[in-house]
Amino acid sequence: FLFWERLYRVIQHVERKGKLSAVMDFGCGSGVMLPVLSRLSDQVTAVDIDLAPSQRIGEFVSFAGNVTFASSCESVPPGSLDLILALDVLEHVDDLNAILADLCALLSPGGEIIVSGPTENMAYKVGRFLAGPVYSGDYHVRDIYQIKQALQKFVDVRTLATLFFPVPLFVIYSGTA
């Protein structure tokens, strides 16, 4: 439920923006956001260090022709993106400041980066424990509040959603260049 609710909130926000020229899904995973992004943008770049999940999905589902896949952001010109999604990915990266600097440099003036991630608070940790050892969280380097702090060095940040009050488990932020 939490996974889909986060995506739903982001989709609602992005749909209000209208038609976009170029967007990126950083950490695209299996590509769950790509159908929406390809409908709302002329060009979509899907980036992930492991493209195998999206390739497996691509065996069963055709991605739109305006979607290109890449294992890095190197081919994207600086200042060319209207929107970057980095949903539930930045808690996994080691050099957060370098990644955020690179991503924010790709935004056009007024462009937006949307990030989401876990709070890692006690309620979140209890839920993860109840979910079993596969969801231990040992693969998280930081929480969403640390991501927000780093993101504020590069863009103006505001909260899009907190899931759920009064015990936040995930937060979604928007940063505008």
Side-chain angles (χ1 to χ4, degrees):
F1 171 76
L2 283 171
F3 174 81
W4 293 109
E5 184 64 21
R6 288 192 309 278
L7 297 183
Y8 177 70
R9 302 277 182 106
V10 171
I11 290 168
Q12 284 182 310
H13 177 78
V14 173
E15 284 180 331
R16 285 192 292 269
K17 297 177 79 59
K19 191 70 171 170
L20 301 166
S21 294
V23 302
M24 174 188 288
D25 187 355
F26 181 80
C28 67
S30 62
V32 70
M33 289 298 289
L34 299 178
V36 172
L37 293 176
S38 66
R39 180 174 48 86
L40 298 174
S41 180
D42 296 329
Q43 179 184 351
V44 180
T45 303
V47 176
D48 205 300
I49 60 170
D50 181 6
L51 292 172
S54 58
Q55 290 168 345
R56 279 193 298 274
I57 295 295
E59 295 172 10
F60 304 98
V61 176
S62 295
F63 291 109
N66 62 340
V67 176
T68 57
F69 292 89
S71 58
S72 74
C73 304
E74 293 174 3
S75 64
V76 179
S80 65
L81 297 175
D82 300 318
L83 174 71
I84 298 172
L85 299 185
L87 307 179
D88 302 329
V89 66
L90 297 174
E91 65 271 20
H92 303 280
V93 302
D94 289 323
D95 194 350
L96 181 63
N97 284 321
I99 293 288
L100 288 175
D102 291 346
L103 290 176
C104 291
L106 300 175
L107 290 172
S108 61
E112 180 180 28
I113 181 170
I114 299 174
V115 302
S116 68
T119 60
E120 296 290 337
N121 63 22
M122 187 54 71
Y124 183 89
K125 290 176 182 179
V126 167
R128 189 171 41 211
F129 174 79
L130 294 173
V134 171
Y135 301 100
S136 68
D138 294 336
Y139 45 86
H140 290 174
V141 180
R142 68 191 49 81
D143 65 33
I144 190 63
Y145 302 118
Q146 293 163 320
I147 294 167
K148 176 188 180 189
Q149 212 170 24
L151 185 61
Q152 289 174 320
K153 298 173 189 170
F154 305 99
V155 291
D156 294 324
V157 178
R158 68 184 180 96
T159 303
L160 286 183
T162 302
L163 306 174
F164 289 95
F165 182 81
V167 182
L169 300 176
F170 288 87
V171 181
I172 305 168
Y173 293 114
S174 165
T176 306

